[in-house]
């Protein structure tokens, strides 16, 4: 294995530019993952680990380097900060301003949290915890989704830097006791084994987690570590076989072809960072190897063409290198510009012309950011920067005397760099304070609509009972309704996605002799507001057995709405059914239908009746609540509060009834076959003959994409009570 060289590889600058261009093009026009991010991560690992390795070797070879200097992280952290933070802060400030100007207030708090997550480099974990899809762009996507990869890169840089400096210190101390530790070959072996070990563990973890929770796996730092470490491993152990130029050219050409095309034939969201990510990562390694310096030939007359392969020279040409120079800023700018454009136009897709405009604007902003923000702050604030002649070619390609022209530019940077840094810091702090104040404002929003005047706010009674609706502003407001949770959520008795425990809440009349169990997922949970009132009014107890996203089912491989496997649901559902049968309530209330996938209407899944029969065979009555319409229109799903806050109306933010619901409750036929099962349909309290409006009786119906607001459920209490009384007469004060 040959020792890595510190010579700058301009061909890899070009490869970086092509990779980021692929990311932008696939995002804007094709809604697919291109593999460009994986190339970017691999290159980052190659450069960073190679730099740290050289530092570790130099610490042994140069006696004047003290132990403190060898393990001091601040110089490298400062360089990382100068390289990464100026452009990131600029884009985050732009996103903050554009959010206020373009997006409705209902989205401000979520984007504010992502601004913080992005600035502090944990955006990937934020997205993982919030189950955010990273696929096709739409107006509903966050303008900061793409920062997840920057967060992974930042976490990799920090962890690797601290580990490398600690290892360097250990080697410095150990070499005093055992001299062979100071040899470059020994240091290279130690570093290589450490990098290989972590990379193998990371690759195993990424592969194993694909079948457990791919949505989380996609953003998981541990799952992603193997990609930059693969590049780092090549920086440590570069193969040194002598290979002819034409063979290296063919290998690099095949590798580049795979990088350019893998976005079409690999589903990156479903497959990365598992084994399929070896395609872009491995291709990147081949291109790095193909352009690396070859081992000198042996013998006096040995002649081998050692010039770089044709593809490496092409990647090192001016345009790819220039694109590589702005690649970081281009990556930061392209996604928010796309999302804000889609939001401004109210569409989920960019046309060819609109996409071209977005890409052009992204390139222009990237160049301006690099020219007037990145370069001044990187060069102007670093007074002990390396000499001009040691800089990469793309940083000093100027007309005339490069040293004199570059020195002149640096002097200009020195003049206004402190002012630029001060302005950027002030704006960043002000933006952070603004985000914090808005978050506190949203957190302080208190939704208390229990005492709304029923004459002004009839809600569902307007549809069920024909109550007149006066002209007043709807309640809660779009900003307030997103906080309009059912009591079980605020009381903490609902299991979240990762919580395997069964939490039992008690509502209604806790001392009553009869009990209704409310069980299932969030679409069962939202009815607790009405059942709690009915239980208190008619003297029955309501116990809750609830888990996020988990309707009672015998499905072997449950999945979340976005298609992610949810094995925790299967286990919880089995255990909670056993628990309910053992607790022996008088009746169980749960959902009995779901929206039909890929077609209009709704359906009762075949995995629901076996659960119902477990209860009815045990002598427990089952109330099967028909699921409520999931708001959607011609352009897809509708977030009702955001739609209304963005100027929509009850009708334009509503849903066609025929698109959401079958004409007859799909559970009605099963109710005729199982006399202890009662199909209960409240669709007429949500929809008229043709539409399911977003506002009914001056109350906003939904609190998010598909959950009823607690205020609206409260207005359904009487309607639910009448239907429940027909199935269970004892729920109406024992008066049939």
């Amino acid at each position: 294995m040959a020792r890595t060289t510190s010579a700058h590889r301009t061909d890899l600058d070009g490869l970086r530019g092509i990779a980021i261009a692929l990311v932008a093009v696939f995002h804007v026009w094709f809604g697919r993952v291109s593999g460009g991010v994986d190339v970017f991560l691999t290159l980052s690992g190659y450069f960073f680990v190679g730099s740290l390795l050289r530092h570790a070797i130099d610490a042994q070879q140069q006696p004047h380097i003290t132990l403190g200097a060898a393990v001091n992280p601040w110089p490298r952290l400062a360089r990382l900060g100068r390289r990464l933070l100026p452009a990131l802060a600029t884009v985050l400030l732009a996103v903050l301003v554009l959010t206020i100007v373009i997006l409705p207030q209902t989205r401000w708090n979520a984007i504010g949290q992502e601004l913080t997550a992005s600035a502090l480099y944990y955006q990937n974990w934020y997205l993982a915890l919030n189950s955010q899809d990273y696929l096709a762009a739409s107006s509903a996507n966050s303008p900061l989704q793409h920062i997840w990869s920057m967060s992974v890169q930042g976490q990799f840089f920090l962890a690797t830097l601290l580990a490398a400096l600690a290892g360097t210190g250990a080697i410095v101390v150990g070499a005093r006791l055992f001299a062979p530790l100071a040899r470059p070959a020994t240091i290279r072996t130690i570093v290589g084994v450490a990098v290989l070990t972590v990379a193998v563990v990371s690759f195993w973890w990424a592969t194993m987690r694909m079948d457990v929770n791919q949505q989380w796996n996609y953003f998981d730092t541990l799952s992603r570590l193997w990609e930059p470490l693969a590049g780092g491993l090549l920086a440590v152990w570069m193969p040194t076989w002598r290979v002819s130029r034409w063979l290296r050219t063919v290998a690099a050409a095949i590798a580049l072809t795979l990088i350019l095309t893998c976005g079409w034939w690999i589903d990156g969201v479903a497959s990365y960072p598992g084994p399929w990510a070896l395609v872009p990562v491995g291709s990147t390694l081949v291109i790095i190897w193909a352009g690396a310096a070859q081992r000198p030939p042996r013998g006096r007359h040995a002649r081998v063409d050692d010039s770089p392969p044709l593809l490496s020279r092409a990647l090192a040409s001016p345009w790819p290198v220039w694109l590589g120079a702005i690649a970081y800023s281009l990556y930061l700018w392209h996604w928010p510009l796309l999302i804000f454009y889609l939001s401004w136009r109210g569409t989920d897709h960019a046309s060819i012309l609109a996409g071209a405009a977005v890409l052009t604007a992204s390139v222009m902003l990237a160049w301006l950011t690099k020219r007037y923000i990145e370069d001044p702050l990187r060069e102007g604030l670093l007074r002990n920067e390396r000499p001009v002649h040691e800089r990469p070619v793309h940083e000093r390609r100027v007309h005339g005397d490069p040293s004199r022209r570059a020195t002149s530019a640096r002097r200009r940077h020195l003049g206004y760099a402190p002012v630029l840094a001060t302005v950027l810091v002030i704006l960043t702090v002000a933006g952070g304070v603004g985000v914090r104040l808005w978050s506190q404002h949203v957190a302080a929003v208190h939704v208390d609509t229990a005492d709304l005047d029923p004459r002004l706010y009839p809600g569902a009674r307007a549809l069920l009972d024909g109550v007149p609706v006066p002209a007043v502003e709807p309640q809660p407001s779009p900003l307030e309704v997103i906080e309009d949770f059912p009591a079980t959520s605020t009381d903490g008795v609902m299991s979240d996605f990762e919580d395997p425990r069964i939490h039992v809440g008690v509502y209604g009349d806790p001392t009553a002799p009869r009990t209704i169990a409310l069980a299932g997922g969030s679409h069962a949970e939202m009815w607790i507001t009405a059942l709690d009132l009915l239980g208190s009014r008619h003297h029955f107890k309501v116990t809750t057995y609830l888990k996020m996203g988990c309707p009672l089912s015998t499905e072997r491989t449950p999945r979340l709405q976005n298609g992610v496997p949810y094995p925790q649901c299967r286990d919880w559902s089995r255990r909670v059914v056993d628990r309910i049968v053992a607790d022996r309530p008088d009746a169980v209330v749960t959902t009995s239908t779901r929206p039909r996938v890929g077609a209009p209407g709704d359906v009762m899944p075949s995995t629901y009746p076996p659960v119902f029969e477990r209860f009815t065979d045990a002598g427990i009555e089952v109330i099967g609540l028909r699921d409520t319409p999931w708001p959607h229109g011609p352009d897809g799903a509708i977030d009702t509060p955001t739609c209304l806050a963005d100027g929509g109306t009850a009708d334009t933010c509503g849903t066609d009834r025929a698109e959401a619901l079958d004409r007859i409750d799909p559970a009605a036929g099963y109710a005729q076959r199982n006399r202890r099962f009662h199909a209960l349909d409240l669709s007429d309290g949500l929809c008229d003959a043709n539409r399911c409006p977003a506002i009914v009786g001056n109350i906003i119906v939904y609190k998010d994409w598909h959950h009823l607001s607690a205020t609206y459920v409260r207005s359904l209490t009487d309607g639910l009570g009448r239907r429940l009384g027909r199935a269970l007469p004892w729920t109406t004060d024992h008066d049939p």
Side-chain angles (χ1 to χ4, degrees):
M1 300 296 175
R3 176 175 176 172
T4 54
T5 175
S6 61
H8 188 79
R9 294 278 301 275
T10 52
D11 60 321
L12 300 186
D13 289 333
L15 179 60
R16 181 195 290 115
I18 290 175
I20 298 305
L22 274 176
V23 172
V25 167
F26 270 71
H27 278 164
V28 170
W29 279 317
F30 306 120
R32 295 180 64 88
V33 169
S34 65
V37 166
D38 306 88
V39 174
F40 188 79
L41 290 173
T42 306
L43 288 172
S44 296
Y46 173 76
F47 289 126
F48 195 66
V49 173
S51 173
L52 293 176
L53 176 62
R54 289 191 296 273
H55 173 79
I57 292 175
D58 289 343
Q60 306 301 322
Q61 302 300 310
Q62 301 180 29
H64 66 276
I65 298 181
T66 66
L67 177 61
V71 301
N72 182 9
W74 299 116
R76 286 185 176 272
L77 287 175
R79 284 196 291 273
L80 280 174
R82 279 190 296 271
R83 183 159 64 88
L84 300 177
L85 295 182
L88 177 63
T90 302
V91 172
L92 294 183
L93 288 170
V95 167
L96 176 61
V97 173
L98 290 173
T99 296
I100 296 172
V101 172
I102 295 176
L103 300 183
Q105 290 186 3
T106 52
R107 298 188 63 185
W108 289 7
N109 190 49
I111 293 177
Q113 294 180 38
E114 291 195 42
L115 283 166
T116 302
S118 298
L120 298 180
Y121 283 85
Y122 65 88
Q123 171 74 335
N124 60 318
W125 294 113
Y126 179 91
L127 294 176
L129 289 169
N130 287 275
S131 300
Q132 177 68 63
D133 282 317
Y134 188 68
L135 190 56
S138 77
S139 58
N141 284 118
S142 161
L144 294 171
Q145 254 175 248
H146 67 313
I147 303 296
W148 73 265
S149 63
M150 297 294 100
S151 297
V152 169
Q153 185 187 51
Q155 293 159 20
F156 164 74
F157 284 159
L158 181 60
T160 306
L161 173 62
L162 296 179
L165 294 181
T168 299
I171 292 174
V172 169
V173 174
R176 297 173 181 174
L177 303 175
F178 185 62
L181 281 178
R183 296 172 183 170
T186 303
I187 297 172
R188 191 178 304 280
T189 300
I190 294 172
V191 173
V193 170
V195 170
L196 178 61
T197 300
V198 178
V200 168
V201 171
S202 171
F203 184 78
W204 167 80
W205 178 258
T207 303
M208 181 271 294
R209 292 289 293 177
M210 287 181 64
D211 294 330
V212 177
N213 190 342
Q214 171 59 11
Q215 186 105 357
W216 180 285
N217 194 47
Y218 190 87
F219 299 112
D220 187 2
T221 305
L222 180 56
S223 297
R224 288 282 177 178
L225 268 181
W226 72 269
E227 296 183 276
L229 289 178
L233 201 61
L234 194 62
V236 177
W237 289 328
M238 177 70 74
T240 58
W241 338 294
R242 292 205 59 83
V243 178
S244 62
R245 188 179 64 172
W246 74 266
L247 189 56
R248 286 183 285 134
T249 297
V250 170
I254 294 174
L256 184 60
T257 301
L258 291 175
I259 289 172
L260 293 174
T261 63
C262 65
W264 294 112
W265 47 276
I266 299 177
D267 182 356
V269 171
S271 303
Y272 295 163
W276 276 108
L278 286 168
V279 174
V281 172
S283 298
T284 304
L285 299 179
V286 169
I287 293 175
I288 295 173
W289 161 78
Q294 299 288 289
R295 181 174 57 189
R298 296 179 179 178
R300 295 179 57 186
H301 302 291
R303 296 183 61 188
V304 176
D305 188 352
D306 196 36
S307 59
L310 179 62
L311 182 64
S312 295
R313 297 200 299 272
L315 290 174
S317 58
W319 279 108
V321 172
W322 179 82
L323 195 59
I326 66 168
Y328 177 55
S329 292
L330 177 59
Y331 183 82
L332 292 177
W333 277 113
H334 84 281
W335 181 266
L337 289 184
L338 174 62
I339 299 305
F340 283 119
Y341 168 78
L342 296 178
S343 298
W344 173 58
R345 299 295 298 171
T347 181
D348 287 340
H349 305 284
S351 65
I352 294 177
L353 289 178
V358 168
L359 289 174
T360 301
S362 301
V363 170
M364 292 178 62
L365 284 172
W367 178 80
L368 290 171
T369 302
K370 183 181 186 302
R371 176 67 178 80
Y372 294 105
I373 296 177
E374 287 188 76
D375 287 349
L377 293 180
R378 186 184 306 171
E379 298 177 8
L381 297 180
L382 184 57
R383 305 196 185 280
N384 294 322
E385 189 181 13
R386 55 188 168 174
V388 174
H389 68 275
E390 293 184 5
R391 298 179 196 166
V393 173
H394 71 272
E395 292 184 5
R396 54 187 172 92
R397 184 178 286 119
V398 292
H399 299 290
D401 184 344
S403 298
R404 185 166 61 251
R405 291 291 299 274
T407 301
S408 176
R410 182 166 175 260
R411 287 173 179 169
R412 290 196 302 273
H413 292 165
L414 284 171
Y416 71 84
V419 176
L420 178 60
T422 301
V423 170
L424 200 58
V425 168
I426 291 174
L427 291 177
T428 301
V429 171
V433 171
V435 167
R436 181 62 179 169
L437 290 176
W438 181 257
S439 297
Q440 291 177 346
H441 168 68
V442 172
V445 170
H446 178 61
V447 183
D448 185 5
T449 55
D451 296 324
L452 285 177
D453 187 339
R455 295 168 298 177
L456 298 178
Y457 303 98
R461 292 184 293 274
L463 292 175
L464 294 173
D465 305 322
V467 175
V469 181
V472 297
E473 287 295 314
Q475 292 291 326
S477 70
L479 183 60
E480 292 172 329
V481 78
I482 61 179
E483 302 293 327
D484 198 10
F485 293 98
T488 40
S489 287
T490 55
D491 292 345
V493 292
M494 185 178 194
S495 300
D496 63 24
F497 295 105
E498 300 294 331
D499 185 357
R501 294 172 296 174
I502 298 172
H503 301 278
V504 181
V506 179
Y507 297 89
D509 181 355
T511 64
R514 290 183 179 271
T515 301
I516 285 180
L518 177 65
S522 57
H523 278 242
E525 180 207 21
M526 60 192 183
W527 292 100
I528 187 59
T529 303
L531 286 172
D532 183 28
L533 288 171
L534 290 171
S536 299
R537 185 185 300 169
H538 299 296
H539 306 293
F540 59 86
K541 179 166 61 175
V542 180
T543 55
T544 61
Y545 307 77
L546 303 165
K547 183 175 179 62
M548 293 180 181
C550 189
L552 301 184
S553 168
T554 59
E555 189 173 6
R556 295 185 62 85
T557 309
R559 294 180 180 273
L560 295 172
Q561 178 193 352
N562 51 28
V564 174
Y566 190 14
Q568 300 93 331
C569 178
R570 179 188 178 191
D571 175 67
W572 183 88
S573 184
R574 176 184 55 78
R575 289 186 295 108
V576 86
V577 169
D578 292 340
R579 171 71 179 271
I580 293 172
V581 170
D583 290 347
R584 298 202 58 80
D586 297 278
V588 174
V589 174
T590 190
T591 51
S592 58
T593 65
R594 293 279 290 175
R596 186 175 281 113
V597 178
D602 53 343
V603 63
M604 184 174 74
S606 60
T607 55
Y608 285 13
V611 174
F612 303 154
E613 287 158 14
R614 279 289 313 278
F615 296 138
T616 58
D617 289 347
I620 302 171
E621 304 287 323
V622 176
I623 304 297
L625 286 171
R626 187 180 193 180
D627 200 3
T628 54
W630 291 40
H632 63 277
D635 294 327
I638 296 174
D639 178 9
T640 297
T642 298
C643 182
L644 294 171
D646 208 21
T649 65
D651 183 64
T652 60
C653 297
T655 306
D656 283 341
R657 179 168 182 156
E659 285 292 316
L661 301 170
D662 281 6
R663 188 173 59 85
I664 298 174
D665 183 353
Y670 178 76
Q672 294 177 353
R673 300 191 299 273
N674 187 338
R675 293 302 179 182
R676 288 189 179 274
F677 176 87
H678 310 275
L680 198 153
D681 184 2
L682 276 163
S683 300
D684 288 343
L686 297 157
C687 312
D688 59 27
N690 300 309
R691 293 283 287 175
C692 305
I695 302 172
V696 174
N698 292 328
I699 297 177
I700 295 179
V701 178
Y702 293 90
K703 66 175 295 295
D704 53 25
W705 296 91
H706 48 77
H707 295 99
L708 298 180
S709 68
T711 302
Y712 195 78
V713 173
R714 189 178 295 111
S715 76
L716 281 161
T717 300
D718 292 343
L720 176 63
R722 288 194 294 268
R723 288 160 174 77
L724 192 62
R726 288 195 288 268
L728 304 173
W730 50 267
T731 61
T732 57
D733 290 332
H734 310 285
D735 182 7

